[in-house]
Amino acid sequence: MKNQKQQRLSQTTNHFDLLSEEIVFTILDFFGENPIDKKSFSLTCKSFYVIESKHRKNLRPLRQEPLSGILTRYPNITHLDLSLCPRVTDSSLTTISNLCESTLRSIDLSRSGAFSGSGLLRLAVNCRNLVEIDVSNATNLKDAGAAALAEAKNLEKLWMGRCKFVTDMGVGCIAVGCKNLKLISLKWCLGVGDFGVGLIAVKCKEIRSLDLSYLPITDKCLPSILKLQHLEDLVLEGCFGIDDDSLAALKHGCKSLKALDMSSCQNISHLGLSSLTSGTGGLQQLTLAYGSPVTLALADGLKKLSMLQSIKLDGCVVTCAGLKAIGNLCVSLKELSLSKCLGVTDEGLSSIVTKHRELRKLDITCCRKITDVSIAHITNSCTNLTSLRMESCTLVPREAFVLIGQRCPFLEELDLTDNEIDDEGLKSISRCPNLSVLKLGICLNITDEGLIHVGMGCPKLVELDLYRSVEITDSGVSAIACGCPDLEMVNIAYCKDITDSSLMSLSKCSRLNTFESRGCPLITSLGLAAIAVGCRQLAKLDIKKCHNVDDVGMLPLAHFSQNLRQINLSYSSVTDVGLLSLASISCLQSLTILHVKGLTPSGLAAALLACGGLTKVKLQASFKYLLPQPLFEYIEARGCVLQWRDKVFQAELDPKCWKLQLEDMVP
Amino acid sequence: MDIKEGLCADTWQNQQKWQDTPMLDYDSPFQEFSQQPPQTQSLLPCNPSNQTNKVQDWDPSAMLNNLSFLEQKIHQLQDLVHLIVGRRGQVLGRSDELVAQQQQLITADLTSIIVQLISTAGSLLPSVKQTLSAAPPSFGQFGGVQFPPGPGVNVVGVQQHNTSNQINCGTEQNHPVEEHESKDEEDADEGENLPPGSYEILQLEKEEILAPHTHFCTICGKGFKRDANLRMHMRGHGDEYKSPAALAKPHKESGPEPMLIKRYSCPYGGCKRNKEHKKFQPLKTILCVKNHYKRTHCDKSYICSRCNTKKFSVIADLKTHEKHCGKDKWLCSCGTTFSRKDKLFGHISLFQGHTPAIPLDEHKGLTGASDRREGNEATSTVGSINFNFGSNASSMGTGMPTDMDAKGSADDSTGYFSPMNFDTCTFEGGFNEFPRPPFDDTESTFSFLIPGSCNYSPKTGGDSGNALK
């Protein structure tokens, strides 16, 4: 009798129950990005369900409505990311604060501005252990909301970019309330001035990182900021109120400072810079994008910075002497960005790269004057380059690209958009085994032959951009799909010869999450179906101007691509049926439907109503008057932005003709 | 010992402060252009030109003319002094009269140089222009009387030193020095460090201090607050009191030996202003004593009729307060109000635990219809505002920074900050150039439109979709 009972018991016992919680936790730790994996794991058995509930620390819900249920199920949530919720109301925040209490450490409210100070207050009072809050873009938040945030006494990191109605008073409350702040970002908080920032610097002595971009601050608050003992990262981008004179009065710099960003500070010249950097010997990163001209004087000012590793001068006017002086700095730079700089010549660039042989990242985007001389010098001296971005260096001849592959074997990122590179160059580049990002947009000289080499030589490729590289056909894409299983992003826009066979081969890349095939007229629903079935991670899809894609393609997409967040269906042959089926994708947030002929007003209305998570819809202005206004009001109240467009129908241009047009525009 | 004297002492002190503090506004450009510290001789020619980057309306060619004229003059003077030095070496037995004549000549020349220099510099500094007329004569006097005739070059150097100093003074004086509060004489002597015993300590009795009148008519016994009023009154008692001598302000004895300075002690035992106190700090004038005693040791019997909250013991303080009462829109959590934002933030940065208090109206206005109840609850806990403003709270609320105020307050701050007026202009321009965020902001609050929208389910959505068909 007893034996029988035991036997029966062992029969009904789930073997998985024998696994201890710790072991299952360890297994769960190895789970990847895909949220569906954890979902299926928890559905295996009751014990797994319970353990998975206990294990989960991070949560990124798509809606606020089921929050109370979710948070009851997952009691150990420490990080709550609500940035995907179109609306987060005060009542939701109250629910969160009641259910999470002291376990919650971090909350992200950066894209959902329906809450107010009272909700934040509940959160701050109930969740005593909150250390990170992101309320960026809460454009309705006023000082009362900031005062509520100040009740979170243990707060260490606070992002409040674009909270435009918060003034010095609100920031003052935060400064007094949150003594442990280590990071605060006040970017675009146009109501905050010297007083608020000054008080932050006086009261919050632990500040490590301070973002004051575009604030109307002047020199009044700078002395107290520079007295902060632990300040490492200071961003003063676009602070027009700070000028040379105010900086000259600063006798002492900030010794702990490691990164300084003074981009777009038009009133600061080399004089102000040198007075600011005179006491900051430990500076490692310096960003002076869109600032004063890079002259000899400015470069001389950098001599005091003995720890400098990275300089970003994007968009500055540079002189040859200035570049040479940067080359003569006694430090060894690891990162240099001259993107969109005017005046970069072979002579100047060569003098830099020959001195800084340890350079890892180099950005010479749109340096239109450089030729193969520069490339020869770069590849000769900087053999350790991991990132080279040289979009639109149009004077570099096709032979020069061979050098890149030959001499820089460690390249991981290469941007050759709008260059003269040909198949020989690609063949050489395929020697970089670590290459993960390769951008070959508007490279009219490359063909399948070169791409096949890349497919064979670069197995780690994650991102491939072939935008308007019109000579590419199916065989090239297939070679890539076969050789690069880790591909996550592919852009084959306007490669007019691509057919479904490319898509079918790409469907083997199971990690693909972004796929753009604009203006590929030969692609049909069949190819799209293959992608939908094979690439379950797909989050962004652009099939604009794929005229042959219709509802048949949408149905598998709706069924399989449950991670789809963004889709562009403009100019396609999708009808009401296809759009309505897409509404079943709960993640779907962004929808662009311009010039979709098969769409009727009622079909659109039904789809909009059914798709509850939408945050942005771009649609034809003609629909505005075909549907009742209250419908749109309701959709907008749900947290969705409707963008009405009245574009005329555009016929596709010949690719060569398009390139000529582009060249006309660029002087 | 009357108010005037107290004021005099006060302003003198302020002046000294100005001279002592280096002029930050002018320091920086100097260091930028010439590595020499300011107030050296070589500074003189480049001084005005340095200001040029800030000022719009000046004529460089006229400036150059002026400068070369000055240079010429200085050279002439230098030659003259050389000559005098040479002659003095030759002939020792000159009459004093001649020496005095030479001295006068040099003084006159120097004065004219200084006047020229200042008017040149004045064309650059708009704020100096007004004070110019007052400034030069005093220099002339200064240089003429005080300086012993020494080697000419030296004299010039010293003179320049003073000039540059005085220019700074002039500009500073034109600033609205709001900190200068004449009623606070009792604090004016804070920095005064008279050695004990170097002054005579007087201590008035309590009754004496609180007496409404201090000057009494010896004939009828009527009391007056002011000496001058008494003298006016005395005229009624007979013609002998109408003579200019009797009506004149009684002159202080300006004897040859300096009088021992008088300082006052507060009769209240244990007070820091009491002479028995270990760290005794004397009061300067009788007025100081009176104000100090009333403020510190008396009831505050004057209540502001506007807010019914603030109390004062000195009627002048009440009047000052009433001028601003109701305009104080900057609140601290401790209940203190400030008429100026910078004062509030100074107060908050000074004290632990004090925080800016957000006005009530904002709490209410912010929360949407569905959340209004919560919002009100929140206000009772947030901010811990001291509501001792009573009936005034609502009227003050209207003056609070609301949403539209955000930009206005930024403008305010520029006004406060800029060290010079023209600075403000340039900054203002920069501020307008702030690129607007490239995002399209929809400021509408949805909660007003559909209060219960959060409860919406896709099912009902489908229904309404059908209904539309």
Side-chain angles (χ1 to χ4, degrees):
Chain A
M1 184 73 182
K2 205 179 177 185
N3 268 349
Q4 268 185 348
K5 208 175 182 180
Q6 268 185 345
Q7 225 173 1
R8 206 189 304 156
L9 206 72
S10 69
Q11 272 171 0
T12 56
T13 309
N14 186 342
H15 291 291
F16 286 138
D17 289 345
L18 299 174
L19 290 171
S20 75
E21 204 173 273
E22 285 75 24
I23 292 175
V24 183
F25 270 20
T26 320
I27 294 169
L28 279 168
D29 284 339
F30 283 104
F31 271 50
E33 292 286 302
N34 193 355
I36 293 167
D37 295 350
K38 279 188 179 171
K39 217 177 265 177
S40 13
F41 180 86
S42 67
L43 291 174
T44 313
C45 64
K46 276 189 176 174
S47 73
F48 274 19
Y49 183 89
V50 172
I51 293 172
E52 201 269 329
S53 298
K54 282 188 196 165
H55 176 265
R56 192 182 271 271
K57 298 274 192 293
N58 301 337
L59 202 61
R60 192 158 64 155
L62 294 160
R63 310 266 199 290
Q64 61 166 349
E65 291 81 31
L67 262 177
S68 67
I70 298 173
L71 292 173
T72 324
R73 177 179 163 186
Y74 296 108
N76 294 327
I77 294 296
T78 56
H79 176 77
L80 190 56
D81 184 350
L82 298 171
S83 58
L84 297 185
C85 298
R87 267 168 71 79
V88 178
T89 56
D90 284 340
S91 60
S92 294
L93 290 183
T94 310
T95 312
I96 293 165
S97 67
N98 290 335
L99 290 170
C100 290
E101 291 188 332
S102 53
T103 49
L104 195 66
R105 290 176 59 79
S106 161
I107 188 164
D108 188 343
L109 299 163
S110 61
R111 285 168 198 221
S112 32
F115 55 86
S116 77
S118 56
L120 286 177
L121 185 73
R122 293 291 174 87
L123 202 65
V125 170
N126 285 352
C127 305
R128 300 308 304 177
N129 289 327
L130 260 182
V131 289
E132 291 179 16
I133 300 183
D134 190 339
V135 290
S136 306
N137 304 311
T139 40
N140 293 322
L141 200 71
K142 292 179 185 159
D143 284 340
L149 284 174
E151 294 296 312
K153 302 288 179 202
N154 294 317
L155 208 60
E156 289 179 7
K157 294 184 178 178
L158 176 62
W159 293 267
M160 43 193 306
R162 282 216 316 135
C163 293
K164 293 184 293 185
F165 287 145
V166 173
T167 70
D168 285 332
M169 298 293 276
V171 171
C173 289
I174 291 169
V176 175
C178 312
K179 292 258 181 277
N180 299 329
L181 268 186
K182 291 191 168 66
L183 177 149
I184 184 164
S185 168
L186 296 170
K187 189 170 182 172
W188 285 120
C189 293
L190 293 179
V192 178
D194 283 323
F195 296 125
V197 175
L199 204 62
I200 290 266
V202 168
K203 295 285 183 184
C204 308
K205 292 291 180 199
E206 298 292 313
I207 293 269
R208 258 74 169 166
S209 172
L210 196 56
D211 188 344
L212 306 174
S213 308
Y214 300 99
L215 293 195
I217 52 170
T218 69
D219 55 314
K220 294 283 172 189
C221 63
L222 278 182
S224 41
I225 289 173
L226 294 181
K227 273 185 202 129
L228 287 168
Q229 293 285 310
H230 307 289
L231 188 65
E232 289 174 1
D233 188 358
L234 179 63
V235 185
L236 295 172
E237 187 182 341
C239 292
F240 302 126
I242 299 173
D243 56 17
D244 283 347
D245 291 348
S246 57
L247 289 175
L250 300 171
K251 296 285 182 289
H252 59 93
C254 182
K255 288 192 178 60
S256 56
L257 206 61
K258 287 191 177 137
L260 176 66
D261 186 344
M262 297 209 302
S263 305
S264 311
C265 289
Q266 295 160 350
N267 297 327
I268 297 179
S269 73
H270 63 93
L271 294 169
L273 181 71
S274 68
S275 44
L276 192 62
T277 52
S278 60
T280 51
L283 208 62
Q284 293 175 359
Q285 288 181 36
L286 184 62
T287 309
L288 299 171
Y290 302 97
S292 56
V294 180
T295 56
L296 188 62
L298 185 126
D300 280 343
L302 304 179
K303 277 181 182 164
K304 292 171 223 156
L305 306 172
S306 56
M307 308 283 280
L308 207 57
Q309 292 184 351
S310 158
I311 302 181
K312 289 184 182 161
L313 301 167
D314 304 8
C316 293
V317 177
V318 299
T319 64
C320 197
L323 289 183
K324 278 180 181 168
I326 289 177
N328 289 330
L329 293 177
C330 50
V331 293
S332 187
L333 290 178
K334 294 226 161 55
E335 196 176 344
L336 178 67
S337 178
L338 297 169
S339 167
K340 295 169 198 164
C341 286
L342 288 176
V344 178
T345 56
D346 279 336
E347 193 188 357
L349 188 60
S350 303
S351 66
I352 286 190
V353 293
T354 46
K355 293 285 168 45
H356 297 286
R357 304 178 77 94
E358 290 301 305
L359 220 52
R360 294 284 191 279
K361 291 186 174 181
L362 180 63
D363 190 340
I364 46 172
T365 300
C366 294
C367 295
R368 296 178 197 278
K369 288 182 187 163
I370 63 164
T371 65
D372 52 334
V373 178
S374 287
I375 301 301
H377 277 111
I378 290 168
T379 51
N380 242 339
S381 3
C382 310
T383 48
N384 291 325
L385 270 186
T386 59
S387 167
L388 177 61
R389 303 166 70 125
M390 47 179 294
E391 179 180 341
S392 295
C393 295
T394 35
L395 287 186
V396 176
R398 54 180 74 187
E399 298 79 30
F401 295 96
V402 178
L403 298 174
I404 296 174
Q406 277 174 351
R407 293 169 181 171
C408 303
F410 302 112
L411 275 177
E412 288 167 20
E413 184 188 9
L414 187 56
D415 186 349
L416 300 173
T417 306
D418 191 17
N419 270 303
E420 292 296 316
I421 186 170
D422 60 0
D423 288 338
E424 280 304 305
L426 277 187
K427 187 180 175 186
S428 141
I429 281 160
S430 68
R431 290 191 213 172
C432 306
N434 294 325
L435 204 63
S436 66
V437 178
L438 181 59
K439 299 197 175 184
L440 298 168
I442 327 177
C443 293
L444 302 182
N445 300 328
I446 58 166
T447 67
D448 290 335
E449 196 191 326
L451 216 54
I452 290 168
H453 284 296
V454 173
M456 289 194 294
C458 310
K460 293 183 181 171
L461 207 63
V462 171
E463 195 180 331
L464 179 65
D465 186 353
L466 296 168
Y467 175 85
R468 285 192 199 267
S469 291
V470 285
E471 300 295 321
I472 301 296
T473 68
D474 287 336
S475 58
V477 177
S478 301
I480 291 285
C482 289
C484 315
D486 294 341
L487 267 183
E488 288 177 17
M489 293 173 74
V490 173
N491 189 342
I492 50 166
Y494 302 104
C495 297
K496 56 182 181 2
D497 296 329
I498 300 273
T499 70
D500 282 344
S501 98
S502 283
L503 271 64
M504 287 183 186
S505 43
L506 279 173
S507 68
K508 280 176 229 141
C509 304
S510 59
R511 294 178 175 220
L512 196 71
N513 59 40
T514 306
F515 182 62
E516 189 176 323
S517 62
R518 277 187 190 198
C520 298
L522 302 178
I523 287 180
T524 69
S525 296
L526 206 63
L528 198 62
I531 292 278
V533 173
C535 313
R536 303 290 180 87
Q537 303 283 312
L538 200 66
K540 290 181 188 171
L541 179 65
D542 190 336
I543 45 170
K544 182 179 172 181
K545 293 184 182 171
C546 295
H547 307 292
N548 288 324
V549 173
D550 54 18
D551 294 340
V552 183
M554 292 303 110
L555 293 172
L557 207 60
H559 188 261
F560 293 106
S561 302
Q562 285 300 316
N563 291 316
L564 194 67
R565 233 181 262 149
Q566 190 180 321
I567 190 167
N568 188 339
L569 297 171
S570 306
Y571 297 89
S572 70
S573 307
V574 176
T575 68
D576 293 350
V577 179
L579 195 63
L580 264 174
S581 64
L582 283 182
S584 71
I585 302 175
S586 57
C587 292
L588 197 62
Q589 290 194 310
S590 171
L591 183 64
T592 307
I593 32 175
L594 299 172
H595 293 293
V596 181
K597 291 252 173 62
L599 214 56
T600 66
S602 51
L604 172 69
L608 288 181
L609 286 167
C611 206
L614 283 175
T615 55
K616 189 169 123 184
V617 178
K618 221 184 252 188
L619 64 176
Q620 203 67 30
S622 54
F623 283 117
K624 200 170 185 176
Y625 309 103
L626 297 173
L627 285 170
Q629 200 58 32
L631 172 83
F632 298 127
E633 279 171 12
Y634 164 66
I635 299 289
E636 284 175 340
R638 237 170 28 180
C640 178
V641 178
L642 296 176
Q643 297 183 339
W644 303 100
R645 291 289 183 272
D646 201 8
K647 273 190 184 171
V648 280
F649 190 89
Q650 269 184 336
E652 190 47 40
L653 290 165
D654 179 62
K656 294 269 157 66
C657 167
W658 182 87
K659 168 92 195 220
L660 287 175
Q661 223 178 31
L662 186 78
E663 277 163 0
D664 281 347
M665 281 189 286
V666 178
Chain B
M1 286 298 156
D2 54 8
I3 306 163
K4 256 189 191 165
E5 195 190 310
L7 279 173
C8 277
D10 203 20
T11 46
W12 170 240
Q13 268 218 339
N14 277 332
Q15 215 155 23
Q16 272 202 319
K17 224 185 318 177
W18 292 329
Q19 282 178 339
D20 289 343
T21 49
M23 294 300 114
L24 286 173
D25 305 347
Y26 295 93
D27 244 4
S28 35
F30 288 163
Q31 281 171 354
E32 240 170 75
F33 285 88
S34 63
Q35 288 304 309
Q36 284 150 317
Q39 302 173 355
T40 56
Q41 198 179 343
S42 65
L43 179 72
L44 179 64
C46 63
N47 183 354
S49 61
N50 276 339
Q51 314 289 348
T52 53
N53 55 349
K54 291 237 172 175
V55 184
Q56 296 88 0
D57 55 343
W58 70 290
D59 183 5
S61 59
M63 170 72 68
L64 195 66
N65 273 342
N66 284 345
L67 287 178
S68 41
F69 173 71
L70 273 172
E71 196 183 23
Q72 216 176 337
K73 272 240 161 178
I74 288 172
H75 276 299
Q76 282 174 359
L77 190 64
Q78 204 176 0
D79 290 343
L80 185 69
V81 176
H82 263 302
L83 208 67
I84 294 167
V85 171
R87 273 189 198 158
R88 188 171 286 184
Q90 283 174 358
V91 191
L92 283 166
R94 287 272 172 179
S95 66
D96 286 351
E97 211 177 285
L98 193 66
V99 173
Q101 257 179 14
Q102 286 173 348
Q103 200 177 324
Q104 251 171 12
L105 199 66
I106 292 166
T107 309
D109 273 4
L110 274 175
T111 312
S112 82
I113 287 173
I114 289 161
V115 171
Q116 285 285 345
L117 181 67
I118 289 167
S119 70
T120 312
S123 68
L124 286 171
L125 301 170
S127 47
V128 169
K129 266 181 189 163
Q130 295 98 22
T131 52
L132 269 182
S133 51
S138 69
F139 298 154
Q141 217 180 9
F142 200 24
V145 177
Q146 299 279 332
F147 283 87
V153 187
N154 253 348
V155 173
V156 175
V158 175
Q159 289 267 339
Q160 281 158 0
H161 169 108
N162 278 307
T163 352
S164 61
N165 236 348
Q166 287 290 341
I167 290 170
N168 288 337
C169 250
T171 54
E172 190 73 5
Q173 263 163 339
N174 274 338
H175 284 290
V177 188
E178 298 201 25
E179 285 85 354
H180 175 95
E181 284 157 350
S182 58
K183 272 183 230 70
D184 271 352
E185 282 109 330
E186 67 172 87
D187 300 325
D189 55 350
E190 217 50 271
E192 190 185 56
N193 266 327
L194 291 173
S198 68
Y199 52 87
E200 180 186 359
I201 301 172
L202 301 175
Q203 183 170 306
L204 281 75
E205 283 316 303
K206 184 187 160 197
E207 290 73 24
E208 228 174 322
I209 291 171
L210 295 179
H213 303 132
T214 43
H215 304 275
F216 296 96
C217 173
T218 47
I219 297 162
C220 67
K222 190 173 180 194
F224 295 91
K225 275 184 190 166
R226 290 166 200 271
D227 180 40
N229 293 351
L230 173 64
R231 272 179 273 130
M232 289 297 129
H233 162 84
M234 293 303 279
R235 290 183 303 178
H237 287 302
D239 280 345
E240 64 265 41
Y241 298 108
K242 285 181 184 162
S243 68
L247 283 171
K249 193 179 167 187
H251 222 67
K252 273 173 259 112
E253 318 90 280
S254 48
E257 74 251 44
M259 271 225 334
L260 201 57
I261 309 165
K262 279 180 191 156
R263 286 294 179 265
Y264 297 85
S265 156
C266 168
Y268 196 91
C271 173
K272 203 179 177 183
R273 304 295 196 168
N274 184 267
K275 58 188 173 190
E276 308 298 331
H277 194 276
K278 262 186 279 179
K279 292 176 181 172
F280 170 58
Q281 282 191 322
L283 292 156
K284 239 179 184 174
T285 65
I286 292 180
L287 194 72
C288 294
V289 178
K290 283 187 170 183
N291 282 342
H292 161 79
Y293 193 84
K294 283 184 193 163
R295 280 177 187 149
T296 325
H297 309 300
C298 289
D299 287 340
K300 298 183 171 178
S301 47
Y302 303 109
I303 301 173
C304 172
S305 57
R306 294 195 191 199
C307 64
N308 285 321
T309 310
K310 284 258 180 184
K311 297 175 177 180
F312 304 92
S313 47
V314 178
I315 198 150
D317 291 356
L318 172 71
K319 281 179 182 159
T320 312
H321 163 78
E322 279 181 333
K323 267 185 219 160
H324 302 284
C325 183
K327 289 182 210 155
D328 290 357
K329 54 174 186 171
W330 304 106
L331 283 79
C332 177
S333 58
C334 69
T336 321
T337 60
F338 299 87
S339 58
R340 281 170 47 172
K341 194 178 180 183
D342 56 338
K343 296 289 172 197
L344 168 66
F345 277 82
H347 167 87
I348 287 164
S349 55
L350 200 62
F351 295 102
Q352 289 288 316
H354 291 211
T355 107
I358 311 298
L360 268 177
D361 278 14
E362 198 175 297
H363 282 280
K364 285 178 194 156
L366 182 71
T367 49
S370 59
D371 299 317
R372 178 145 291 186
R373 188 170 36 81
E374 277 177 29
N376 282 345
E377 271 174 49
T379 52
S380 56
T381 42
V382 180
S384 63
I385 305 164
N386 255 344
F387 304 114
N388 47 3
F389 309 102
S391 59
N392 206 39
S394 60
S395 70
M396 278 169 56
T398 55
M400 294 302 169
T402 51
D403 8 344
M404 298 313 294
D405 225 358
K407 206 180 166 219
S409 63
D411 287 345
D412 275 356
S413 62
T414 63
Y416 288 145
F417 284 152
S418 56
M420 297 295 287
N421 293 336
F422 42 79
D423 249 359
T424 325
C425 305
T426 54
F427 181 78
E428 211 84 78
F431 186 72
N432 290 337
E433 276 162 31
F434 271 134
R436 293 279 136 195
F439 314 95
D440 186 19
D441 280 314
T442 47
E443 240 78 345
S444 58
T445 45
F446 307 126
S447 42
F448 284 109
L449 282 168
I450 298 176
S453 61
C454 53
N455 300 326
Y456 224 91
S457 64
K459 198 181 158 197
T460 51
D463 281 349
S464 55
N466 287 337
L468 285 161
K469 275 182 187 172

